[in-house]
Amino acid sequence: MRRFEAGETVVRRDVHRGRIWSEQALRVIEDTDTALVTACCPGAETLWPALYARARSDGDPSLRTEAFEALSAGEWELASGRWQNTVLVLWKPPAAWFSIDAFYAADTGQQLQYWYVNFEHPTRRTPTGFDTFDLAVDLIIDTDLTTLRWKDEDEYAQVRRLGIVSDAEHRAVELARAEVLAMLEDRSGPFADEDRWSAWRWDAAWPPPRLPGSDPAQAAGTSPLRPPGCDDSRSRA
């Protein structure tokens, strides 16, 4: 499959058992044998699971539990939204069970805030982007690259109980955890280019990316399907 060009809009999709769980419009930074690197900024269009979005906007953690139960049952609805508050860069090696993401503050000169490792399925290229699937557990790394904290271990246990994450996927996640920690210790992957990514800034000539087929008039305002207060998902996933 062809490589994506820098500046091109692509769509990351989380797909579970043949159904879309989320979509996120991104801009391509670079596409090499090592990794597909993409980014988004405030205003980028998304589709979220409706219950998952309500859990963030309402601050009700029980809705997150319901969202995973709906995922397990194969019964969920999507709601449109837009990325807010941060600029995000995703570094995704093609066969890795993770992406390494960098979060930047959108309103303070895009200063790098922290690194975020999202454990997920390897990339499956599509004509418009790539498919993967978020496996719930995450690792947050401070900018000093020495302070770490695991995130959402309780939700990972829940998706294991519900059968959303199989035993084989669990083994892959355990290997991926060790791989990421080794990369961090060795300062390899994006950690080898820490200065480059710390200095990276969103190209002001790029408008926020849109999902294919979206209505430009609706994109300029609030979608009727968008839950109020919809916020950046991956910083809280």
Side-chain angles (χ1 to χ4, degrees), residues 1-4 31 124-130:
M1 188 167 291
R2 71 175 181 88
R3 293 200 187 278
F4 298 115
D31 187 5
R124 299 180 297 279
R125 291 288 187 116
T126 70
T128 59
F130 63 97

Side-chain angles (χ1 to χ4, degrees), residues 151-170:
K151 184 173 180 289
D152 296 335
E153 293 275 21
D154 55 340
E155 291 186 354
Y156 184 66
Q158 180 190 5
V159 297
R160 290 277 289 131
R161 288 193 302 271
L162 291 171
I164 296 169
V165 175
S166 68
D167 290 344
E169 289 169 322
H170 173 64

Side-chain angles (χ1 to χ4, degrees), residues 12 35-39 88-93 96-104 112 114-120 123 138-141 145 176-177 179-185 187-192 197 234:
R12 171 208 156 100
L36 173 61
V37 184
T38 56
L88 167 66
V89 170
L90 303 90
W91 186 88
K92 177 68 171 172
W97 283 77
F98 58 84
S99 65
I100 298 179
D101 308 340
F103 279 85
Y104 303 78
L112 179 65
Y114 54 88
W115 299 88
Y116 192 100
V117 183
N118 201 65
F119 292 89
E120 59 193 28
T123 295
D138 308 288
L139 175 64
I140 299 174
I141 306 169
L145 299 183
R177 291 192 200 225
E179 183 179 352
V180 168
L181 293 177
M183 291 173 64
L184 189 57
E185 183 176 356
R187 297 295 190 266
S188 60
F191 305 126
W197 295 117
R234 293 171 62 79

Side-chain angles (χ1 to χ4, degrees), residues 19 32 37 39 48 56 63 65 76 85 108 111 131 133 144 152 175 196 207:
R19 286 191 58 198
T32 68
V37 184
W48 319 110
R56 291 193 306 277
L63 290 172
T65 300
W76 68 85
N85 301 332
T108 57
Q111 182 178 0
D131 290 352
F133 181 63
D144 63 8
D152 296 335
L175 291 172
R196 174 194 175 190

